[in-house]
Structures are given as structure tokens and as C-alpha cells.
Amino acid sequence: MNNFRIAKLFIVFSSLSFLSIGFLRNYNSPENIEIRCKLKFEKDFKTPLEISLEEWNQILDLADNNYLKCMGIP
């Protein structure tokens, strides 16, 4: 009976390890990083009506730099 309990514990631990490694690979894939960065900085690219063109260009430059930082591009 004790061997069966050890085997169950080993199977559960192995399964959790396998699932966590799979999740981390998927979470850190370049496609998913790009999607997360786009969603994070999407609000910066919406044009407010009361801002001048010069201010809008500064906001776009800042948002572009933040997006590149998020993507890991220097």
C-alpha cells in the first residue's frame, strides 16, 4: 500500500512539472509576447481629439519606444 502511495505522488509531481514547463514555453513564445505587448500599449495609439499634431507625434514616439522595450528590442 505504501508503494502505491509513493507511485501516485510521483505521478502527480511529474504531471505538474510537465504541465508547468509546457505553460511556460507557450507563455514565453514570441507570438504570445507580441500579443501581450500589443494589448498593453494599444490604448496609447488611440487619437484624442483635443491634442495637437505635435503632442500626438510625441505620444506615438513614446508608445513605440515602450512597445519595443516590451518586445525586448533595444
PDB file of all heavy atoms in Angstrom, residues 23-42 67 70-71:
ATOM      1  N   PHE A  23       3.343  25.190 -20.053  1.00  0.00           N
ATOM      2  CA  PHE A  23       2.742  26.517 -19.921  1.00  0.00           C
ATOM      3  C   PHE A  23       3.783  27.611 -20.107  1.00  0.00           C
ATOM      4  O   PHE A  23       3.551  28.598 -20.817  1.00  0.00           O
ATOM      5  CB  PHE A  23       2.069  26.664 -18.552  1.00  0.00           C
ATOM      6  CG  PHE A  23       1.628  28.067 -18.264  1.00  0.00           C
ATOM      7  CD1 PHE A  23       0.489  28.584 -18.852  1.00  0.00           C
ATOM      8  CD2 PHE A  23       2.363  28.881 -17.414  1.00  0.00           C
ATOM      9  CE1 PHE A  23       0.086  29.882 -18.603  1.00  0.00           C
ATOM     10  CE2 PHE A  23       1.970  30.173 -17.157  1.00  0.00           C
ATOM     11  CZ  PHE A  23       0.825  30.678 -17.750  1.00  0.00           C
ATOM     12  N   LEU A  24       4.939  27.466 -19.470  1.00  0.00           N
ATOM     13  CA  LEU A  24       5.977  28.489 -19.578  1.00  0.00           C
ATOM     14  C   LEU A  24       6.520  28.607 -20.997  1.00  0.00           C
ATOM     15  O   LEU A  24       6.806  29.708 -21.466  1.00  0.00           O
ATOM     16  CB  LEU A  24       7.111  28.198 -18.595  1.00  0.00           C
ATOM     17  CG  LEU A  24       6.748  28.421 -17.128  1.00  0.00           C
ATOM     18  CD1 LEU A  24       7.897  27.987 -16.232  1.00  0.00           C
ATOM     19  CD2 LEU A  24       6.390  29.861 -16.872  1.00  0.00           C
ATOM     20  N   ARG A  25       6.639  27.491 -21.707  1.00  0.00           N
ATOM     21  CA  ARG A  25       7.078  27.557 -23.105  1.00  0.00           C
ATOM     22  C   ARG A  25       6.060  28.322 -23.945  1.00  0.00           C
ATOM     23  O   ARG A  25       6.428  29.135 -24.782  1.00  0.00           O
ATOM     24  CB  ARG A  25       7.250  26.167 -23.682  1.00  0.00           C
ATOM     25  CG  ARG A  25       8.545  25.543 -23.366  1.00  0.00           C
ATOM     26  CD  ARG A  25       8.702  24.274 -24.162  1.00  0.00           C
ATOM     27  NE  ARG A  25       9.876  23.559 -23.716  1.00  0.00           N
ATOM     28  CZ  ARG A  25      10.129  22.324 -24.026  1.00  0.00           C
ATOM     29  NH1 ARG A  25       9.292  21.637 -24.764  1.00  0.00           N
ATOM     30  NH2 ARG A  25      11.222  21.747 -23.589  1.00  0.00           N
ATOM     31  N   ASN A  26       4.799  28.041 -23.740  1.00  0.00           N
ATOM     32  CA  ASN A  26       3.744  28.713 -24.505  1.00  0.00           C
ATOM     33  C   ASN A  26       3.656  30.177 -24.120  1.00  0.00           C
ATOM     34  O   ASN A  26       3.507  31.047 -24.981  1.00  0.00           O
ATOM     35  CB  ASN A  26       2.402  28.012 -24.279  1.00  0.00           C
ATOM     36  CG  ASN A  26       1.311  28.575 -25.149  1.00  0.00           C
ATOM     37  OD1 ASN A  26       1.568  29.006 -26.266  1.00  0.00           O
ATOM     38  ND2 ASN A  26       0.103  28.579 -24.626  1.00  0.00           N
ATOM     39  N   TYR A  27       3.753  30.494 -22.845  1.00  0.00           N
ATOM     40  CA  TYR A  27       3.630  31.867 -22.361  1.00  0.00           C
ATOM     41  C   TYR A  27       4.768  32.732 -22.875  1.00  0.00           C
ATOM     42  O   TYR A  27       4.577  33.907 -23.181  1.00  0.00           O
ATOM     43  CB  TYR A  27       3.618  31.868 -20.823  1.00  0.00           C
ATOM     44  CG  TYR A  27       3.380  33.221 -20.215  1.00  0.00           C
ATOM     45  CD1 TYR A  27       2.100  33.761 -20.180  1.00  0.00           C
ATOM     46  CD2 TYR A  27       4.425  33.955 -19.674  1.00  0.00           C
ATOM     47  CE1 TYR A  27       1.872  35.006 -19.618  1.00  0.00           C
ATOM     48  CE2 TYR A  27       4.202  35.197 -19.114  1.00  0.00           C
ATOM     49  CZ  TYR A  27       2.923  35.714 -19.087  1.00  0.00           C
ATOM     50  OH  TYR A  27       2.705  36.948 -18.539  1.00  0.00           O
ATOM     51  N   ASN A  28       5.961  32.185 -22.987  1.00  0.00           N
ATOM     52  CA  ASN A  28       7.129  32.945 -23.405  1.00  0.00           C
ATOM     53  C   ASN A  28       7.439  32.817 -24.892  1.00  0.00           C
ATOM     54  O   ASN A  28       8.525  33.202 -25.326  1.00  0.00           O
ATOM     55  CB  ASN A  28       8.352  32.524 -22.587  1.00  0.00           C
ATOM     56  CG  ASN A  28       8.232  32.965 -21.152  1.00  0.00           C
ATOM     57  OD1 ASN A  28       7.672  34.007 -20.875  1.00  0.00           O
ATOM     58  ND2 ASN A  28       8.761  32.173 -20.246  1.00  0.00           N
ATOM     59  N   SER A  29       6.512  32.306 -25.685  1.00  0.00           N
ATOM     60  CA  SER A  29       6.755  32.233 -27.123  1.00  0.00           C
ATOM     61  C   SER A  29       6.698  33.636 -27.713  1.00  0.00           C
ATOM     62  O   SER A  29       5.993  34.514 -27.209  1.00  0.00           O
ATOM     63  CB  SER A  29       5.723  31.330 -27.790  1.00  0.00           C
ATOM     64  OG  SER A  29       4.457  31.946 -27.796  1.00  0.00           O
ATOM     65  N   PRO A  30       7.454  33.893 -28.776  1.00  0.00           N
ATOM     66  CA  PRO A  30       7.489  35.241 -29.371  1.00  0.00           C
ATOM     67  C   PRO A  30       6.110  35.745 -29.812  1.00  0.00           C
ATOM     68  O   PRO A  30       5.810  36.938 -29.683  1.00  0.00           O
ATOM     69  CB  PRO A  30       8.412  35.082 -30.572  1.00  0.00           C
ATOM     70  CG  PRO A  30       9.252  33.900 -30.261  1.00  0.00           C
ATOM     71  CD  PRO A  30       8.404  33.001 -29.425  1.00  0.00           C
ATOM     72  N   GLU A  31       5.266  34.860 -30.309  1.00  0.00           N
ATOM     73  CA  GLU A  31       3.934  35.282 -30.750  1.00  0.00           C
ATOM     74  C   GLU A  31       3.100  35.782 -29.569  1.00  0.00           C
ATOM     75  O   GLU A  31       2.418  36.803 -29.671  1.00  0.00           O
ATOM     76  CB  GLU A  31       3.199  34.131 -31.437  1.00  0.00           C
ATOM     77  CG  GLU A  31       3.853  33.652 -32.709  1.00  0.00           C
ATOM     78  CD  GLU A  31       4.928  32.612 -32.459  1.00  0.00           C
ATOM     79  OE1 GLU A  31       4.943  31.995 -31.378  1.00  0.00           O
ATOM     80  OE2 GLU A  31       5.781  32.443 -33.349  1.00  0.00           O
ATOM     81  N   ASN A  32       3.155  35.075 -28.458  1.00  0.00           N
ATOM     82  CA  ASN A  32       2.377  35.477 -27.295  1.00  0.00           C
ATOM     83  C   ASN A  32       2.929  36.743 -26.652  1.00  0.00           C
ATOM     84  O   ASN A  32       2.166  37.567 -26.140  1.00  0.00           O
ATOM     85  CB  ASN A  32       2.309  34.344 -26.274  1.00  0.00           C
ATOM     86  CG  ASN A  32       1.399  33.235 -26.732  1.00  0.00           C
ATOM     87  OD1 ASN A  32       0.489  33.453 -27.528  1.00  0.00           O
ATOM     88  ND2 ASN A  32       1.635  32.037 -26.256  1.00  0.00           N
ATOM     89  N   ILE A  33       4.238  36.917 -26.673  1.00  0.00           N
ATOM     90  CA  ILE A  33       4.824  38.150 -26.145  1.00  0.00           C
ATOM     91  C   ILE A  33       4.353  39.330 -26.975  1.00  0.00           C
ATOM     92  O   ILE A  33       3.987  40.378 -26.445  1.00  0.00           O
ATOM     93  CB  ILE A  33       6.367  38.053 -26.121  1.00  0.00           C
ATOM     94  CG1 ILE A  33       6.811  37.037 -25.074  1.00  0.00           C
ATOM     95  CG2 ILE A  33       6.994  39.411 -25.835  1.00  0.00           C
ATOM     96  CD1 ILE A  33       8.288  36.739 -25.088  1.00  0.00           C
ATOM     97  N   GLU A  34       4.341  39.155 -28.302  1.00  0.00           N
ATOM     98  CA  GLU A  34       3.895  40.237 -29.183  1.00  0.00           C
ATOM     99  C   GLU A  34       2.430  40.586 -28.932  1.00  0.00           C
ATOM    100  O   GLU A  34       2.074  41.766 -28.872  1.00  0.00           O
ATOM    101  CB  GLU A  34       4.100  39.829 -30.639  1.00  0.00           C
ATOM    102  CG  GLU A  34       3.739  40.919 -31.614  1.00  0.00           C
ATOM    103  CD  GLU A  34       4.000  40.518 -33.052  1.00  0.00           C
ATOM    104  OE1 GLU A  34       4.551  39.433 -33.291  1.00  0.00           O
ATOM    105  OE2 GLU A  34       3.644  41.308 -33.926  1.00  0.00           O
ATOM    106  N   ILE A  35       1.590  39.594 -28.756  1.00  0.00           N
ATOM    107  CA  ILE A  35       0.166  39.846 -28.491  1.00  0.00           C
ATOM    108  C   ILE A  35      -0.017  40.589 -27.176  1.00  0.00           C
ATOM    109  O   ILE A  35      -0.787  41.551 -27.093  1.00  0.00           O
ATOM    110  CB  ILE A  35      -0.614  38.512 -28.500  1.00  0.00           C
ATOM    111  CG1 ILE A  35      -0.672  37.947 -29.921  1.00  0.00           C
ATOM    112  CG2 ILE A  35      -2.018  38.702 -27.947  1.00  0.00           C
ATOM    113  CD1 ILE A  35      -1.197  36.522 -29.981  1.00  0.00           C
ATOM    114  N   ARG A  36       0.709  40.167 -26.130  1.00  0.00           N
ATOM    115  CA  ARG A  36       0.597  40.850 -24.832  1.00  0.00           C
ATOM    116  C   ARG A  36       1.062  42.293 -24.924  1.00  0.00           C
ATOM    117  O   ARG A  36       0.448  43.195 -24.353  1.00  0.00           O
ATOM    118  CB  ARG A  36       1.397  40.102 -23.767  1.00  0.00           C
ATOM    119  CG  ARG A  36       0.760  38.831 -23.293  1.00  0.00           C
ATOM    120  CD  ARG A  36       1.392  38.328 -22.016  1.00  0.00           C
ATOM    121  NE  ARG A  36       2.829  38.199 -22.070  1.00  0.00           N
ATOM    122  CZ  ARG A  36       3.488  37.114 -22.463  1.00  0.00           C
ATOM    123  NH1 ARG A  36       2.827  36.062 -22.851  1.00  0.00           N
ATOM    124  NH2 ARG A  36       4.801  37.084 -22.458  1.00  0.00           N
ATOM    125  N   CYS A  37       2.152  42.535 -25.672  1.00  0.00           N
ATOM    126  CA  CYS A  37       2.656  43.902 -25.811  1.00  0.00           C
ATOM    127  C   CYS A  37       1.681  44.767 -26.596  1.00  0.00           C
ATOM    128  O   CYS A  37       1.477  45.934 -26.265  1.00  0.00           O
ATOM    129  CB  CYS A  37       4.025  43.894 -26.490  1.00  0.00           C
ATOM    130  SG  CYS A  37       5.332  43.230 -25.447  1.00  0.00           S
ATOM    131  N   LYS A  38       1.087  44.215 -27.634  1.00  0.00           N
ATOM    132  CA  LYS A  38       0.113  44.986 -28.417  1.00  0.00           C
ATOM    133  C   LYS A  38      -1.083  45.378 -27.554  1.00  0.00           C
ATOM    134  O   LYS A  38      -1.543  46.512 -27.609  1.00  0.00           O
ATOM    135  CB  LYS A  38      -0.364  44.180 -29.619  1.00  0.00           C
ATOM    136  CG  LYS A  38       0.593  44.191 -30.766  1.00  0.00           C
ATOM    137  CD  LYS A  38       0.029  43.412 -31.938  1.00  0.00           C
ATOM    138  CE  LYS A  38       1.005  43.382 -33.078  1.00  0.00           C
ATOM    139  NZ  LYS A  38       0.492  42.588 -34.210  1.00  0.00           N
ATOM    140  N   LEU A  39      -1.584  44.448 -26.774  1.00  0.00           N
ATOM    141  CA  LEU A  39      -2.727  44.753 -25.916  1.00  0.00           C
ATOM    142  C   LEU A  39      -2.370  45.763 -24.835  1.00  0.00           C
ATOM    143  O   LEU A  39      -3.170  46.631 -24.490  1.00  0.00           O
ATOM    144  CB  LEU A  39      -3.267  43.475 -25.278  1.00  0.00           C
ATOM    145  CG  LEU A  39      -3.942  42.492 -26.228  1.00  0.00           C
ATOM    146  CD1 LEU A  39      -4.316  41.216 -25.481  1.00  0.00           C
ATOM    147  CD2 LEU A  39      -5.159  43.110 -26.872  1.00  0.00           C
ATOM    148  N   LYS A  40      -1.149  45.668 -24.330  1.00  0.00           N
ATOM    149  CA  LYS A  40      -0.715  46.558 -23.255  1.00  0.00           C
ATOM    150  C   LYS A  40      -0.603  48.004 -23.727  1.00  0.00           C
ATOM    151  O   LYS A  40      -0.976  48.925 -23.002  1.00  0.00           O
ATOM    152  CB  LYS A  40       0.635  46.071 -22.726  1.00  0.00           C
ATOM    153  CG  LYS A  40       1.135  46.816 -21.522  1.00  0.00           C
ATOM    154  CD  LYS A  40       2.413  46.174 -21.016  1.00  0.00           C
ATOM    155  CE  LYS A  40       2.938  46.877 -19.798  1.00  0.00           C
ATOM    156  NZ  LYS A  40       4.186  46.283 -19.319  1.00  0.00           N
ATOM    157  N   PHE A  41      -0.120  48.204 -24.947  1.00  0.00           N
ATOM    158  CA  PHE A  41       0.117  49.553 -25.438  1.00  0.00           C
ATOM    159  C   PHE A  41      -0.888  50.000 -26.489  1.00  0.00           C
ATOM    160  O   PHE A  41      -0.715  51.044 -27.109  1.00  0.00           O
ATOM    161  CB  PHE A  41       1.542  49.663 -25.978  1.00  0.00           C
ATOM    162  CG  PHE A  41       2.563  49.468 -24.896  1.00  0.00           C
ATOM    163  CD1 PHE A  41       3.293  48.310 -24.816  1.00  0.00           C
ATOM    164  CD2 PHE A  41       2.751  50.438 -23.931  1.00  0.00           C
ATOM    165  CE1 PHE A  41       4.221  48.112 -23.805  1.00  0.00           C
ATOM    166  CE2 PHE A  41       3.674  50.255 -22.913  1.00  0.00           C
ATOM    167  CZ  PHE A  41       4.406  49.096 -22.851  1.00  0.00           C
ATOM    168  N   GLU A  42      -1.948  49.250 -26.684  1.00  0.00           N
ATOM    169  CA  GLU A  42      -2.966  49.613 -27.666  1.00  0.00           C
ATOM    170  C   GLU A  42      -3.657  50.923 -27.301  1.00  0.00           C
ATOM    171  O   GLU A  42      -3.975  51.733 -28.165  1.00  0.00           O
ATOM    172  CB  GLU A  42      -3.993  48.493 -27.767  1.00  0.00           C
ATOM    173  CG  GLU A  42      -5.003  48.672 -28.846  1.00  0.00           C
ATOM    174  CD  GLU A  42      -5.930  47.477 -28.914  1.00  0.00           C
ATOM    175  OE1 GLU A  42      -6.555  47.146 -27.874  1.00  0.00           O
ATOM    176  OE2 GLU A  42      -6.015  46.877 -29.977  1.00  0.00           O
ATOM    177  N   TYR A  67       6.678  49.935 -26.626  1.00  0.00           N
ATOM    178  CA  TYR A  67       6.356  48.664 -27.291  1.00  0.00           C
ATOM    179  C   TYR A  67       7.634  47.904 -27.610  1.00  0.00           C
ATOM    180  O   TYR A  67       7.715  46.699 -27.382  1.00  0.00           O
ATOM    181  CB  TYR A  67       5.557  48.947 -28.564  1.00  0.00           C
ATOM    182  CG  TYR A  67       5.265  47.708 -29.367  1.00  0.00           C
ATOM    183  CD1 TYR A  67       4.303  46.803 -28.938  1.00  0.00           C
ATOM    184  CD2 TYR A  67       5.942  47.438 -30.541  1.00  0.00           C
ATOM    185  CE1 TYR A  67       4.035  45.668 -29.669  1.00  0.00           C
ATOM    186  CE2 TYR A  67       5.669  46.311 -31.275  1.00  0.00           C
ATOM    187  CZ  TYR A  67       4.718  45.416 -30.834  1.00  0.00           C
ATOM    188  OH  TYR A  67       4.455  44.285 -31.560  1.00  0.00           O
ATOM    189  N   CYS A  70       9.007  46.410 -24.511  1.00  0.00           N
ATOM    190  CA  CYS A  70       8.220  45.252 -24.107  1.00  0.00           C
ATOM    191  C   CYS A  70       8.600  44.024 -24.935  1.00  0.00           C
ATOM    192  O   CYS A  70       8.654  42.923 -24.421  1.00  0.00           O
ATOM    193  CB  CYS A  70       6.728  45.572 -24.280  1.00  0.00           C
ATOM    194  SG  CYS A  70       5.623  44.250 -23.803  1.00  0.00           S
ATOM    195  N   MET A  71       8.868  44.235 -26.221  1.00  0.00           N
ATOM    196  CA  MET A  71       9.236  43.136 -27.105  1.00  0.00           C
ATOM    197  C   MET A  71      10.675  42.673 -26.871  1.00  0.00           C
ATOM    198  O   MET A  71      11.082  41.622 -27.347  1.00  0.00           O
ATOM    199  CB  MET A  71       9.085  43.564 -28.571  1.00  0.00           C
ATOM    200  CG  MET A  71       7.661  43.743 -29.015  1.00  0.00           C
ATOM    201  SD  MET A  71       6.765  42.200 -29.054  1.00  0.00           S
ATOM    202  CE  MET A  71       7.611  41.340 -30.357  1.00  0.00           C
TER     203      MET A  71
END
